[in-house]
Amino acid sequence: MLKHNPGKAALFMIIATISATIMQVCVKFLAHIPVVELIFFRSIISLLLSGSYIIRNRIPVWGNNKKLLVIRALAGVFALTLFFLTLQKLPLASAITLQYLSPFFSVLLGRFILKEKFKKLQLFFFLMAIFGIAIMGAFDERIPFIYAVMGVVAAFFAGLAYNFIRLLGKTDHPMTAVFYFPLLATPVMAIPTYLQWVTPSLTDIFWIIGMGVFTQFLQYYTAKSVQSDTLSQVTIIKYLGIVFGITAGWFIFNESLSMENIAGITIVTIAVIGNYFFVTQKKIKPE
């Protein structure tokens, strides 16, 4: 059963966001490795970690709501594949900003899937964020239109996955939802990985292990967070990741920010802050 605990939900989401940033840096260092191969390796690592956790804690391996667990895993595979592509092809800050449309999609979809309340002013903030993304994609030559679209679609599927995770909180342990992702992704990615195989170096293996481990933390603590409070409350915290991403891109990859980047990220951030204070003051909760 879901337990409403806003304090723990916020802490879990902060841990998930930090883990996400570290994972994104690892993927950026692996830009020469095909995305399907990265997801294959990431799935094997997650399969071992989540499987051992489930066995050790005697959690039912196959869960209760098997249909929804599979659907959630499929949404996660689509989201992660497209997101990894944008991470490899776009500046880190831009790819992360595109991905952080997912909380808006979470709240929009939550109105229909979870029956959580949603106000018209939140739609305004969502459109404002889309406008910020459009400025980045239309004027920054480093952001090809196709990858901007991929980033938005990845965010949509991520938002869909968050809704399914929250639904699964009524029937299944968070780690079961995490376990189903590699259970599905490993065989799906095996053939394309074989066809596009690139042998990783020792340094690559270090980054691959880091990618897998911190993706595991990301998924587990995201699941714990969204099962502890409403989506409109906890997913907004994910936007700390934009700040983390800009910092990492600047210091680690020497990525400069264009005026278009700054304008777009600023608009998205204002939309996020506006939505956060609106939601907090109105105390929007599930119906």
Side-chain angles (χ1 to χ4, degrees):
M1 295 297 291
L2 291 174
K3 294 182 180 179
H4 185 68
N5 192 326
K8 283 190 176 180
L11 176 61
F12 292 150
M13 189 57 77
I14 290 172
I15 295 173
T17 303
I18 293 172
S19 299
T21 303
I22 298 173
M23 177 272 289
Q24 291 151 7
V25 169
C26 292
V27 173
K28 196 71 175 173
F29 274 117
L30 295 165
H32 56 288
I33 303 289
V35 166
V36 291
E37 187 174 337
L38 293 183
I39 295 177
F40 178 73
F41 280 128
R42 171 246 179 269
S43 298
I44 291 176
I45 294 170
S46 180
L47 196 64
L48 293 173
L49 292 175
S50 55
S52 62
Y53 182 94
I54 285 173
I55 293 172
R56 187 170 62 254
N57 291 276
R58 298 182 179 180
I59 300 169
V61 175
W62 305 114
N64 298 306
N65 195 337
K66 297 177 181 63
K67 181 179 179 180
L68 190 58
L69 284 164
V70 171
I71 294 174
R72 181 267 161 191
L74 283 172
V77 170
F78 279 120
L80 192 65
T81 301
L82 293 174
F83 180 43
F84 274 20
L85 279 169
T86 61
L87 279 174
Q88 289 189 339
K89 302 297 183 180
L90 301 179
L92 187 60
S94 301
I96 291 174
T97 302
L98 286 168
Q99 176 64 11
Y100 282 118
L101 280 174
S102 60
F104 279 109
F105 283 120
S106 296
V107 177
L108 286 171
L109 293 168
R111 179 66 182 91
F112 304 99
I113 297 174
L114 302 175
K115 307 302 179 184
E116 291 186 352
K117 291 183 178 180
F118 182 83
K119 300 297 183 179
K120 291 181 179 179
L121 187 56
Q122 289 180 284
L123 179 59
F124 167 77
F125 290 132
F126 174 74
L127 294 176
M128 185 177 176
I130 290 290
F131 177 66
I133 297 299
I135 289 178
M136 293 169 57
F139 298 104
D140 192 336
E141 295 180 353
R142 299 174 302 172
I143 306 179
F145 177 75
I146 184 63
Y147 290 111
V149 172
M150 283 184 182
V152 174
V153 175
F156 173 84
F157 278 106
L160 193 62
Y162 292 147
N163 277 268
F164 293 148
I165 288 172
R166 185 156 173 82
L167 280 176
L168 286 166
K170 301 176 181 178
T171 59
D172 290 282
H173 191 280
M175 188 55 74
T176 305
V178 172
F179 178 69
Y180 261 75
F181 180 97
L183 195 64
L184 180 74
T186 301
V188 167
M189 294 298 172
I191 294 177
T193 295
Y194 174 77
L195 295 175
Q196 302 180 44
W197 177 259
V198 172
T199 303
S201 66
L202 288 176
T203 302
D204 292 337
I205 292 173
F206 170 79
W207 294 116
I208 287 170
I209 293 173
M211 174 192 69
V213 170
F214 283 100
T215 303
Q216 185 77 358
F217 290 158
L218 163 63
Q219 288 215 329
Y220 178 70
Y221 283 105
T222 295
K224 290 277 286 183
S225 179
V226 299
Q227 289 182 5
S228 300
D229 202 356
T230 61
L231 285 171
S232 57
Q233 292 281 21
V234 299
T235 54
I236 206 71
I237 298 171
K238 285 176 64 66
Y239 278 88
L240 285 171
I242 295 178
V243 178
F244 298 155
I246 292 173
T247 304
W250 189 13
F251 283 100
I252 299 175
F253 300 105
N254 198 30
E255 293 177 350
S256 61
L257 290 177
S258 66
M259 291 303 296
E260 293 81 6
N261 279 130
I262 295 173
I265 291 172
T266 299
I267 291 172
V268 171
T269 303
I270 292 173
V272 169
I273 293 173
N275 182 67
Y276 173 77
F277 281 109
F278 174 76
V279 169
T280 302
Q281 291 176 6
K282 295 296 181 180
K283 292 181 170 43
I284 297 175
K285 294 182 179 179
E287 290 179 341

